[in-house]
Amino acid sequence: DSPFIGVSVIGKMLMADGYRVGIIAQPDVHSNQDITRLGEPALFWGVSGGSVDSMVANYTATGRRRRSDDYTPGGENTRRPDRACIVYSNLIRRHFKQTRPIVLGGIEASLRRIAHYDFWSDRIRKSILFDAKADYLVYGMGERTIRELTRSLAVGDSPERLRGLCYISRETPESYRELPAYDTVSNDKRAFIKMFRTFYDNCDPVTAKGLYQQQDSRFLVQNPPAPYLEQTELDSVYAMEFENEQHPYYARGGDVKALETIRFSVPTHRGCYGECNFCSIAVHEGRTVRWRSEDSVVRHVEALTAHPKFTGHIRDVGGPTANMYGFECARKLERGACKRKRCLYPSVCKDLKPDHLPATHLLERLRGLPEITKAFVASGIRHDLILKDRRGGRKYLREVVAHHVSGQMKIAPEHSEDRVLSLMGKPGRKSLLEFRDMFYECTTDAGKNQFLTYYLIAAHPGCTEADMVRLREFTGRELRIHPEQVQIFTPLPSTWSAVMYYTETDPETGRPLTVEKTTAGRSNQKAVLAKAAPKQKPRQRRSKRKS
């Protein structure tokens, strides 16, 4: 029961509206023992695959079954079925005939709501609504839509016009845009690229149109996205009382490892304007950042200090990217996200004016609370934003380095080669090196012995072994490290990088891409970095200021 767990947030919110909510976590799919123990619901079944897409949770990038699951009691990966939304929906249908509507939600449903490339079966799959034989699908963060859907079902109204909702229909809605049909995109890669571009361009609540797509003899209908929550609404979500513990019923199965991280962490904002091509946040949470008020975050932290297990440490104060709190593009807020221009790529847009002073003040305030020994910033930091903010960027970095880091700061350059970085939608190495120097100046001035941790990706579309050799040389020569935080690229559903992987095409230029698809080849790219020289201690750069 944590504000980081979507099912818990939705359950708490509906309870606050006066409904009774039952949650059956990871039901046994081989019997009716779990799925029937709360009886049949009065309004609907809400089905989620969990906080992580079930295929991502169950398998590594090389296709091996994961042995552990941080979200399962006891940690063993034995409870979460593959394609959980489909399996759970079938489980309900098997034991409850002609039952109440089944409503899909969560990240697994959200990213699979249209025809999509599925890495694990290596093919284009239909919308998960069709495969699960569910009635409705709520996409995105979902609070507003699920609340309105519940009210509609309670009074007997059809929810089919609600924003943020997908459903199956035999007719096409007027004024909605048509996506190329499933049969077309599953056989024509150019049509698939065209489909995804139209889908991606219609994910912003301000500008999006409704969409429909023929899948067999019926149509998937996607209503426009629900408006984002206002700050007061966002504050109210996190003001609900969460136990920050696992339910005693499930505690008998052992500890949930994820709780160790999230129990004493505080989300400060949602969304990300980074739009990295390999990341699912833009499609699920949105490209517009929404943040809680400073008072809301402080009250949240104060409430955590009353927890019997609290030891004085807040594990993380942040969001998808830690330093996106408290500012947004005024043009985007009024007119919606740009369709042919990005906030941070190829460089920080002049219309986005980064301002780290709100985040700095928040951290200073948390640091001043008497019960707090340390409030860490463990979320990743976007280094190009700090460099762009001439007024407050360095001040923010000094605050974090001096008071909110425990030996290491995480950043994610992902690669060193401009061609690969361009395909990822990431900034070039120049800003990385400039930030590195600033970090070591600040950490030296603070009298600390701290280091940068770099997250890197192997086998992204367009990346070759030769590129990985150059990355290895760059990390050894410029960063003076032997990389350890290296992951093999996984094509997540409904991301541009998955489109590149499947079509072997750069969607921006139409040019063919070299894409490593063999397990051995993908593993070899990661192994290239292991051939680097033994790890060296990073240089400590002295401050240029005179004492």
Side-chain angles (χ1 to χ4, degrees), residues 472-490:
R472 182 190 72 202
E473 293 170 348
F474 172 81
T475 57
R477 181 182 66 252
E478 299 290 346
L479 304 182
R480 292 177 172 263
I481 61 167
H482 181 181
E484 296 177 355
Q485 302 291 341
V486 183
Q487 66 183 63
I488 299 175
F489 164 74
T490 300

Side-chain angles (χ1 to χ4, degrees), residues 254-265:
D255 293 337
V256 173
K257 186 176 180 180
L259 195 54
E260 297 174 9
T261 301
I262 65 177
R263 179 186 281 119
F264 298 121
S265 293

Side-chain angles (χ1 to χ4, degrees), residues 142-196:
E143 290 103 337
R144 190 184 301 280
T145 303
I146 201 70
R147 173 173 275 168
E148 294 175 353
L149 180 140
T150 305
R151 291 170 181 166
S152 295
L153 295 177
V155 299
D157 290 342
S158 170
E160 289 186 355
R161 300 305 295 178
L162 296 180
R163 294 179 66 114
L165 192 77
C166 296
Y167 62 95
I168 298 171
S169 176
R170 294 194 178 277
E171 300 177 351
T172 59
E174 293 183 8
S175 76
Y176 278 33
R177 295 191 62 177
E178 181 179 10
L179 298 174
Y182 167 77
D183 286 344
T184 301
V185 300
S186 58
N187 293 290
D188 184 339
K189 293 183 177 180
R190 290 186 179 180
F192 182 76
I193 294 173
K194 178 182 178 182
M195 177 211 76
F196 188 78

Side-chain angles (χ1 to χ4, degrees), residues 435-451:
F435 176 80
R436 174 205 60 188
D437 292 344
M438 182 186 290
F439 170 84
Y440 284 115
E441 286 176 9
C442 291
T443 199
T444 299
D445 290 349
K448 304 277 188 175
N449 186 28
Q450 299 180 145
F451 309 100

Side-chain angles (χ1 to χ4, degrees), residues 193-204:
I193 294 173
K194 178 182 178 182
M195 177 211 76
F196 188 78
R197 185 173 299 282
T198 302
F199 164 76
Y200 192 84
D201 286 346
N202 285 275
C203 287
D204 186 88

Side-chain angles (χ1 to χ4, degrees), residues 81-147:
D82 293 352
R83 310 192 188 283
C85 283
I86 298 173
V87 174
Y88 292 154
S89 296
N90 290 338
L91 180 66
I92 293 167
R93 297 283 188 203
R94 188 159 66 245
H95 296 289
F96 293 89
K97 309 299 181 184
Q98 303 301 318
T99 189
R100 303 289 188 252
I102 295 177
V103 182
L104 306 182
I107 194 165
E108 178 167 301
S110 189
L111 298 183
R112 297 174 180 271
R113 62 187 187 262
I114 62 165
H116 57 279
Y117 173 68
D118 180 74
F119 169 66
W120 297 269
S121 59
D122 192 26
R123 65 183 179 90
I124 303 298
R125 294 183 68 102
K126 297 176 186 175
S127 165
I128 197 170
L129 257 178
F130 283 79
D131 286 342
K133 299 179 175 60
D135 298 282
Y136 304 108
L137 185 153
V138 173
Y139 66 90
M141 299 303 282
E143 290 103 337
R144 190 184 301 280
T145 303
I146 201 70
R147 173 173 275 168

